Amino acid sequence: MKKLVALGLAATMVSAMAGTTVSVSAEELDTSKLSFAFCTNTLNNTFQSSMDAKFSELCEEAGISYACLDPDYDLNTQLSQLSDVANSGYDAVFIIPVDSAGITAGLAEINEAGIPIFNVDTAVIEEDIDSFVTQFVGTNTFMAGQLVGAQMVEDYPDGADIAILDFPSNESCVDRVNGFLDGLGENADKFNIVAQQDGAAALDVSLPLAEDIITANPDVAAFFCINDPSALGAAAAIKAANMTGEIGVYSIDASPDGKQALLDGEFTAVAAQVPLQIAEYAYDAAVKYLGGETDLGEKKVYLDSHLVLAEEAEETLNDWQ
């Protein structure tokens, strides 16, 4: 059993004898005895791999044992990994769900084991946040969508035929689309959505979809894509049609590849996701919680997005934010 559990038992015994509550501050916590796990949904994306690298860096600095479990978007694999976490005595776990509504059993098992759960990036369903999650930390993806939608209105004040490549099985991506539509504001009626299809947040899926949309809708003026891989697929289709610069591409991520596409003129605008900030915030929250600060404030924390302009893209080209 981990030292943290032993400390908790000792605190309970002292409290029972003296009628006081004993806790260990984050500063006093012996982090060298802790172990953290990151249950991501995939590492085949620089967003998640950058979070893994940041968690690993922070844990190494504090002497915390760290493991990352990658199900590669397979729900059954993730459920098995969550069960392993519950049975392995980790002190805290950070989770990005493969399926927001599909991991309830795994969350319940970890919660039953007394391990605090920090849900990051993509929220699980509201009921599971209320029942099992210590804190959710993510980008304000609705805000990111709003910023991109407002930029499209500025670029096309008279409106245009547009297409959307979404990813409806992912709650975060649904928020991005809803934010985008909200960002069109009172000009929304000027924009004709000629196609809205599931690009699976992937370049190889989005590229042929975008090719078909361009062929079927020769007047399409712009694509809104829910992430950079999907937007890179649209940009590749536009390039193949010799229409780079003629059809706009609006994205959310600001990954290194997305920043390069912005500088190359393949993306028109991109709003930032902040995976490194999410990892830092969730890590700090976990250490505070384990040190006795069980009141972490808001149950759900959304970190601000912003539009990434050329100057920032150049300065941070090889990094996330």
Side-chain angles (χ1 to χ4, degrees):
M1 191 64 67
K2 301 231 173 264
K3 182 176 180 180
L4 185 67
V5 176
L7 284 170
L9 290 172
T12 301
M13 292 172 65
V14 172
S15 178
M17 291 185 291
T20 59
T21 300
V22 177
S23 64
V24 180
S25 71
E27 291 76 16
E28 297 170 328
L29 189 64
D30 185 357
T31 53
S32 68
K33 302 299 183 181
L34 300 180
S35 62
F36 289 176
F38 176 33
C39 294
T40 184
N41 53 358
T42 184
L43 286 178
N44 191 28
N45 185 309
T46 60
F47 181 98
Q48 290 91 333
S49 63
S50 71
M51 291 186 70
D52 172 40
K54 177 56 68 173
F55 280 132
S56 180
E57 173 193 327
L58 293 169
C59 288
E60 183 176 359
E61 289 174 355
I64 298 172
S65 175
Y66 173 76
C68 179
L69 293 82
D70 176 17
D72 196 21
Y73 283 131
D74 184 88
L75 177 59
N76 289 330
T77 300
Q78 184 168 61
L79 288 171
S80 177
Q81 290 173 346
L82 295 179
S83 183
D84 290 343
V85 166
N87 293 320
S88 297
Y90 287 98
D91 295 296
V93 59
F94 309 99
I95 298 175
I96 302 177
V98 169
D99 183 322
S100 295
I103 67 166
T104 300
L107 296 174
E109 194 171 353
I110 293 173
N111 181 71
E112 180 67 23
I115 301 169
I117 296 170
F118 293 85
N119 176 200
V120 294
D121 178 45
T122 300
V124 297
I125 60 174
E126 196 71 27
E127 182 179 345
D128 286 351
I129 288 180
D130 292 340
S131 299
F132 308 124
V133 171
T134 302
Q135 189 173 57
F136 166 78
V137 185
T139 306
N140 189 335
T141 50
F142 188 87
M143 177 185 182
Q146 284 178 312
L147 290 169
V148 171
Q151 184 61 51
M152 185 178 286
V153 170
E154 185 174 328
D155 294 339
Y156 299 92
D158 297 325
D161 286 352
I162 63 172
I164 296 174
L165 295 180
D166 60 16
F167 187 28
S169 65
N170 184 290
E171 200 67 29
S172 171
C173 295
V174 172
D175 288 343
R176 298 176 209 192
V177 174
N178 289 336
F180 168 74
L181 296 174
D182 186 76
L184 297 178
E186 61 184 20
N187 284 25
D189 290 344
K190 296 181 181 179
F191 290 88
N192 177 36
I193 301 173
V194 298
Q196 181 168 348
Q197 298 190 31
D198 182 359
L203 189 157
D204 60 344
V205 176
S206 296
L207 195 161
L209 290 177
E211 287 178 329
D212 290 345
I213 290 170
I214 293 168
T215 300
N217 303 277
D219 293 329
V220 66
F223 281 81
F224 167 65
C225 306
I226 51 82
N227 72 350
D228 283 353
S230 186
L232 288 167
I238 292 166
K239 185 176 183 179
N242 295 314
M243 300 186 74
T244 299
E246 297 179 37
I247 300 176
V249 178
Y250 295 75
S251 183
I252 294 173
D253 264 350
S255 64
D257 287 343
K259 290 173 183 176
Q260 187 64 63
L262 181 69
L263 294 173
D264 291 342
E266 295 180 355
F267 282 11
T268 310
V270 59
Q273 286 252 67
V274 291
L276 302 186
Q277 293 178 37
I278 292 170
E280 289 172 347
Y281 193 104
Y283 169 86
D284 288 343
V287 172
K288 289 177 183 177
Y289 186 85
L290 295 172
E293 288 187 49
T294 54
D295 183 3
L296 296 175
E298 295 292 332
K299 183 83 165 184
K300 294 190 285 186
V301 176
Y302 294 96
L303 306 178
D304 284 350
S305 177
H306 63 277
L307 285 178
V308 173
L309 304 181
E311 182 178 358
E312 181 183 356
E314 290 174 350
E315 292 176 352
T316 64
L317 181 59
N318 297 318
D319 303 305
W320 282 83
Q321 43 285 320

